[in-house]
Amino acid sequence: MTVFSAEIRRGMLLRWSPLIAAAYLGIIFFLLDPWRGLWPETSAAVTQPVVVFVIAGAMTASCRGVKASEEENSDIFRVAARADWKIDLIRTAALCTEAVGIYAALAVVPFLGTAVENPPGSPRISLWLLSALGLICVVSLSYAVGRLAPARFTSLVAGVLSYCLVAFIPPDSALGLWVPALTIVDRTPTDSAFVVKALLAAAGVLLSSSSGTARKAMPGRRPRGQNSISATSRRVSCVLAATSAACLVFTVPLGSGTAMLEARAPDADSVVCDDSSGPKICFWKDHASLLPQVASMAQHLEKVTAAITSHRAVYAEKGIDSQDEGIEVGYGGSAIWTGLINGALPPFHVCPAESQVQLEKRVAASTLAATWVEVKVRGKSVLQGDYEYTGFDPTPEVKKLLKSSESEQKAQAIQWVDVISAKCGKV
């Protein structure tokens, strides 16, 4: 433990920890979507600023690898009297312990922020664990890079490459380093994702452990006065490197085709419903604390929609009745209103046999009806919204309609609803 303790004490990441903490917590509290008071969103949020640790961990680990190549004859090695692969393994363990330890300590802060509000459910530590395994892989591989290619700009290159990993690997892939908050409540980590991450972490550690011996074996790379590599050390390092390569060759293709999360099956233990105040509303138990607020919103909405449609409203959080539709929580009141309105109006029919003109009529009617209903329940301020994704801006027509009498408004809204629900070819 002497070498391990020495490595921990001299760790650069510990010296950078105040800056890392400021960046991580700043992203958590000021840049992310609302998460406080909701366990699923909090559990996803703690992983999203992992880019801070990935870059800092990669740069410090590669820098330590560079220094290790320059200090191979230092006193600590002669006193330790251990094989090179053991020294590199201890160093890698110290670097990973620093990175994951600081990451865990800072992740506790947002978890406590949600815990004080006593929401239903519990934190999903598995999401953080997936992210931590990815961090171990990046840190250990970065140490190997610094060990094998010591140069002035090795740390900078390692930092840039690690950022590219975060930026360009899809977060929904098992190779991703963070978990997106979108619909996290109706998703659960796959077993394959844990296997992939564990194998990647193991591959990184094994490769970093063999990197010192590999460097010495390079022609002209053995430091002056350094003893020759023992046969045992050479064999062990070869086994470690071969195992690491096999893990990477097997895992990367597997991970690229494997999802990090899978659909969560609703059941009596995970879903809670309430129909005591009128319309039936079903939420994942993680968001049960929002039921009274949403029930009040749904009551207000029913007073408007009852006059224009007889459609039986379906108010359920996304993933309960449908994997693609439903109320989305964690993105503010506007997203909840959108989900409620979509549930109150008839479903949008897509008819492959219809022409583009007919499809555009349905899109326009759906957008106009939803916008009119939203104005009635929330006020005219919603007309400032962005409708670019629909290809149709309902604002002028809805503003014009609002100047008409209430009966005329309802009559026009009924016509829009009829277009939405019309059978194929009847538009």
Side-chain angles (χ1 to χ4, degrees):
M1 294 297 291
T2 304
V3 179
F4 182 82
S5 302
E7 290 295 328
I8 290 290
R9 287 196 299 271
R10 70 193 300 184
M12 293 176 61
L13 207 59
L14 287 177
R15 295 198 289 271
W16 285 15
S17 57
L19 292 177
I20 293 172
Y24 177 86
L25 296 177
I27 294 173
I28 286 279
F29 285 98
F30 300 110
L31 298 183
L32 298 185
D33 291 313
W35 53 264
R36 190 167 180 175
L38 303 169
W39 280 126
E41 283 70 19
T42 304
S43 302
V46 299
T47 72
Q48 290 174 47
V50 73
V51 63
V52 175
F53 288 95
V54 167
I55 294 176
M59 294 184 71
T60 54
S62 58
C63 182
R64 187 68 193 97
V66 171
K67 288 185 176 181
S69 296
E70 298 171 351
E71 299 172 352
E72 287 177 327
N73 284 327
S74 65
D75 290 337
I76 190 171
F77 282 95
R78 290 199 291 268
V79 172
R82 290 188 174 97
D84 290 336
W85 68 268
K86 291 183 180 179
I87 295 292
D88 287 317
L89 177 60
I90 292 171
R91 279 202 181 117
T92 303
L95 290 166
C96 292
T97 300
E98 280 184 284
V100 174
I102 298 172
Y103 187 21
L106 292 178
V108 169
V109 177
F111 278 133
L112 288 177
T114 291
V116 295
E117 300 189 16
N118 195 29
S122 59
R124 300 188 183 179
I125 305 300
S126 57
L127 301 181
W128 178 87
L129 181 59
L130 281 173
S131 182
L133 287 172
L135 179 59
I136 290 173
C137 179
V138 171
V139 169
S140 54
L141 288 177
S142 298
Y143 174 79
V145 169
R147 200 79 164 90
L148 294 169
R152 180 178 299 178
F153 298 108
T154 298
S155 296
L156 179 60
V157 172
V160 172
L161 291 177
S162 64
Y163 171 77
C164 292
L165 287 176
V166 177
F168 296 111
I169 294 179
D172 56 348
S173 165
L175 298 177
L177 295 170
W178 58 282
V179 181
L182 183 62
T183 68
I184 188 63
V185 69
D186 64 327
R187 297 287 188 269
T188 186
T190 63
D191 293 336
S192 300
F194 279 104
V195 172
V196 167
K197 286 293 176 62
L199 286 175
L200 285 175
V205 172
L206 292 175
L207 184 61
S208 65
S209 300
S210 61
S211 58
T213 304
R215 174 171 169 75
K216 285 185 180 181
M218 295 179 183
R221 291 293 187 179
R222 193 174 303 161
R224 184 177 300 173
Q226 186 75 20
N227 295 328
S228 61
I229 306 170
S230 69
T232 301
S233 182
R234 188 186 296 273
R235 283 195 297 269
V236 171
S237 296
C238 287
V239 170
L240 294 176
T243 306
S244 173
C247 285
L248 290 174
V249 169
F250 170 75
T251 305
V252 172
L254 173 65
S256 61
T258 302
M260 182 185 295
L261 306 171
E262 62 184 354
R264 181 180 174 192
D267 54 42
D269 294 328
S270 61
V271 175
V272 57
C273 297
D274 179 23
D275 58 0
S276 59
S277 58
K280 184 178 181 180
I281 304 171
C282 292
F283 268 54
W284 294 101
K285 191 167 288 186
D286 307 74
H287 293 155
S289 58
L290 297 175
L291 270 176
Q293 172 193 348
V294 177
S296 176
M297 295 165 69
Q299 279 185 299
H300 186 33
L301 176 62
E302 291 271 306
K303 294 177 182 178
V304 175
T305 58
I308 64 173
T309 179
S310 58
H311 169 68
R312 181 179 176 277
V314 177
Y315 301 126
E317 194 172 355
K318 192 171 182 178
I320 295 178
D321 283 343
S322 169
Q323 294 299 326
D324 301 317
E325 298 178 355
I327 302 169
E328 287 190 330
V329 174
Y331 298 89
S334 295
I336 294 177
W337 274 119
T338 299
L340 288 172
I341 292 170
N342 289 339
L345 294 175
F348 182 85
H349 286 283
V350 177
C351 301
E354 288 186 343
S355 66
Q356 182 66 26
V357 173
Q358 290 173 307
L359 175 61
E360 289 175 356
K361 285 183 178 179
R362 288 186 186 273
V363 171
S366 177
T367 308
L368 286 164
T371 304
W372 179 81
V373 170
E374 191 170 9
V375 168
K376 287 297 182 180
V377 295
R378 299 186 62 197
K380 294 183 180 180
S381 61
V382 301
L383 291 175
Q384 306 300 319
D386 181 10
Y387 301 97
E388 188 175 319
Y389 70 97
T390 65
F392 173 76
D393 184 0
T395 303
E397 192 165 343
V398 171
K399 282 184 175 180
K400 181 179 178 181
L401 180 62
L402 291 172
K403 297 176 182 178
S404 306
S405 64
E406 194 67 26
S407 59
E408 290 175 328
Q409 292 183 42
K410 291 179 180 178
Q412 179 60 69
I414 291 172
Q415 291 182 25
W416 289 332
V417 170
D418 290 341
V419 173
I420 297 171
S421 55
K423 294 182 179 179
C424 293
K426 300 296 183 180
V427 176

